[in-house]
Amino acid sequence: MNRDECRILSKRFGTRDGHKLPVYEAQGGYRALRKALAELDPPKVTELVKDSGLRGRGGAGFPAGVKWGFVPKDASAVYFMVNADESEPGTFKDRFLLDFDPHAVIEGSIISSYAVSACLCVIYIRGEFGWLIDRVRKAVDEAYAAGYLGRNILDSGYDLEMIVHKGAGAYICGEETGLINSVTGNKGQPLIKPPFPAVSGFLGKPTIVNNVETVAAVTYIVDEGPEAYRRFGTEKSTGTKLFSVSGPVRNPGVHEIPMGLPFREFFHDWLGGMAAGEELKAVIMGGSSVPVLTAEEAMNTRLDYESLQEAGTMLGSGGMIIIPARCDMVELIQVLMHFYWDESCGQCTPCREGTGWLHRIVRRLRRGEGTLEDIDLLAKVCDGMAGLTICPLADAAVMPMRSFLQRFRPEFEALVHESKQPGPDSRWAREIRS
């Protein structure tokens, strides 16, 4: 299978005016919607998505069709929300979809809304995506004008309204109940589950929240069939996946690959290996919240949910960060801990206090003021945070922190030893000078 064959989500990336409706329609756009409304009832659409094996691409990896099946059949109103609040450090694949192919996202959103009989679809976009918000709103306007949205869509009798909601730049609103609270007009803080949004969400009604990449895949599944989608990937990790790759490789950017591709093949054949003069040290596979792998561990795994879990990490959002040998791992984890401390909503004490503790202790080590006991204290703080909060933000800080300690502890210890016998080139001395 060559690379072009598996470009089912990224095939219009780079196409001139690919974001405009005439270009999208000329390439078969909205054919899947016509098929769904004319030939398939909502339960049948859900069955197709279940048969495809599509799992949510936002990070959790929960089967999309199964999630839709949780919506009560007798609900008086159902809402569908598209999570475009892409804020995970290292992740930028949804931005590409919204930029280059907004109608694929809109079409997939309409079909997904139809599958759960939703009357309103909200596309929740990260507040910093200024130009993207304008682009998606124009695409929604085009869809309304063409009869793909509004009342009696394509004479099917199905009504759906769609709005584009601008977020305020809070990472926590990528969590589905935080997102729903934000849309409602409340503070964007997560809620205790159950009840789950599929039963009680926006305005107390069943609400489905799916990621941008997830709904874009629905368009292909309905158009080509679940068997065509399952041609890609493994038995449990079906289809293709967008990876946004950053770091000193020859071909960074967004790449679409079949699930299960060996990382070694992806690294050498797709990314072109490391840039000149660089050497691979470690890889964060799925966004900043997943455990880091050493270069050796990364080279021996495959890019799918099960293989990465077996390797001790997660597929996450697909935000792959390539770390070169020259990188100071303690400095890197300090940056990440600052992010999670800054983005904690403050609702849960273990998260509010724990993320701050992690950041301050790592910063102390880098200033040459830390002790070996501080390194053990980092692990103890993690123990007091994991699994003890309403949402996974605390876990998102704990998982990378623990993995950095486990795999790169000598770099933490070196900071302590160097601070006792400092030389002009020691790391803590450089930090103080900077």
Side-chain angles (χ1 to χ4, degrees):
M1 183 180 297
N2 62 46
R3 297 184 193 181
D4 288 339
E5 282 184 84
C6 67
R7 289 187 63 191
I8 63 177
L9 301 178
S10 59
K11 60 185 177 184
R12 268 178 291 276
F13 286 6
T15 300
R16 184 174 184 179
D17 292 334
H19 62 286
K20 296 181 178 179
L21 182 59
V23 175
Y24 184 68
E25 289 181 315
Q27 297 183 9
Y30 289 101
R31 184 172 60 208
L33 176 62
R34 293 180 184 277
K35 175 182 177 181
L37 296 181
E39 304 174 16
L40 308 171
D41 59 17
K44 183 60 179 175
V45 175
T46 300
E47 284 301 315
L48 289 180
V49 174
K50 284 183 179 177
D51 291 344
S52 74
L54 174 66
R55 296 167 66 170
R57 300 302 200 222
F62 193 82
V66 175
K67 190 176 189 178
W68 297 356
F70 293 151
V71 174
K73 306 303 180 192
D74 58 349
S76 59
V78 179
Y79 301 106
F80 193 92
M81 298 191 178
V82 180
N83 187 349
D85 191 46
E86 187 175 57
S87 312
E88 177 99 349
T91 307
F92 47 92
K93 45 96 178 173
D94 290 345
R95 173 159 61 86
F96 271 57
L97 277 170
L98 295 168
D99 194 4
F100 289 115
D101 210 358
H103 279 288
V105 178
I106 293 170
E107 183 178 8
S109 302
I110 300 171
I111 297 171
S112 302
S113 298
Y114 173 67
V116 297
S117 301
C119 58
L120 171 67
C121 177
V122 177
I123 299 179
Y124 187 96
I125 296 186
R126 178 183 177 185
E128 292 90 338
F129 285 171
W131 85 103
L132 277 184
I133 296 170
D134 294 339
R135 172 158 292 191
V136 176
R137 281 176 173 159
K138 287 179 182 176
V140 169
D141 289 343
E142 287 182 318
Y144 266 107
Y148 299 130
L149 284 167
R151 292 187 176 277
N152 192 25
I153 298 172
L154 300 175
D155 295 324
S156 65
Y158 177 56
D159 304 333
L160 179 68
E161 304 297 332
M162 179 176 286
I163 62 173
V164 179
H165 185 98
K166 178 182 177 182
Y171 172 71
I172 197 60
C173 289
E175 197 277 342
E176 59 181 1
T177 57
L179 183 152
I180 292 170
N181 260 339
S182 176
V183 174
T184 308
N186 299 326
K187 188 183 292 185
Q189 291 181 322
L191 301 174
I192 293 175
K193 292 178 273 190
F196 291 90
V199 177
S200 179
F202 182 58
L203 303 180
K205 301 297 184 183
T207 304
I208 293 295
V209 181
N210 277 146
N211 171 260
V212 167
E213 185 182 349
T214 309
V215 297
V218 169
T219 302
Y220 178 86
I221 291 166
V222 171
D223 192 23
E224 300 290 339
E227 297 80 9
Y229 189 72
R230 296 186 74 96
R231 286 189 303 124
F232 309 103
T234 67
E235 181 180 357
K236 294 182 178 179
S237 295
T238 61
T240 64
K241 178 78 185 80
L242 295 175
F243 278 89
S244 51
V245 182
S246 57
V249 289
R250 296 182 187 276
N251 301 313
V254 176
H255 299 269
E256 185 174 11
I257 64 171
M259 286 280 210
L261 185 72
F263 172 80
R264 183 184 298 273
E265 182 178 342
F266 181 53
F267 177 75
H268 289 294
D269 298 347
W270 300 61
L271 305 183
M274 299 297 286
E278 300 284 5
E279 181 182 348
L280 182 64
K281 181 177 185 178
V283 183
I284 296 175
M285 290 290 188
S288 65
S289 61
V290 309
V292 66
L293 295 183
T294 64
E296 182 179 1
E297 290 173 322
M299 285 297 176
N300 291 317
T301 191
R302 292 176 175 270
L303 298 172
D304 59 69
Y305 291 103
E306 291 73 29
S307 298
L308 289 171
Q309 184 176 13
E310 187 177 342
T313 187
M314 300 165 64
L315 182 67
S317 61
M320 183 178 290
I321 303 172
I322 303 294
I323 303 172
R326 58 181 166 79
C327 181
D328 180 337
M329 299 303 283
V330 186
E331 180 181 12
L332 175 53
I333 197 64
Q334 181 184 343
V335 173
L336 295 183
M337 291 303 104
H338 181 273
F339 171 80
Y340 289 107
W341 171 54
D342 189 53
E343 292 292 343
S344 173
C345 76
Q347 186 175 202
C348 303
T349 301
C351 179
R352 182 184 65 242
E353 300 300 324
T355 52
W357 271 89
L358 293 177
H359 175 249
R360 286 193 296 273
I361 295 169
V362 175
R363 185 177 60 181
R364 188 158 69 226
L365 287 164
R366 292 200 66 243
R367 285 180 172 175
E369 300 168 355
T371 64
L372 293 176
E373 288 74 21
D374 280 334
I375 301 174
D376 295 330
L377 181 57
L378 286 170
K380 290 180 180 177
V381 173
C382 288
D383 292 342
M385 297 169 61
L388 299 174
T389 52
I390 292 174
C391 84
L393 192 143
D395 294 344
V398 166
M399 287 189 285
M401 186 72 250
R402 281 176 168 166
S403 67
F404 274 64
L405 287 173
Q406 177 187 355
R407 293 175 171 88
F408 300 98
R409 186 180 178 96
E411 294 196 30
F412 290 81
E413 294 175 344
L415 285 172
V416 177
H417 298 317
E418 287 176 8
S419 68
K420 305 299 182 186
Q421 295 179 323
D425 296 323
S426 66
R427 274 170 289 189
W428 75 269
R430 290 200 301 273
E431 172 68 10
I432 290 176
R433 286 199 296 272
S434 64

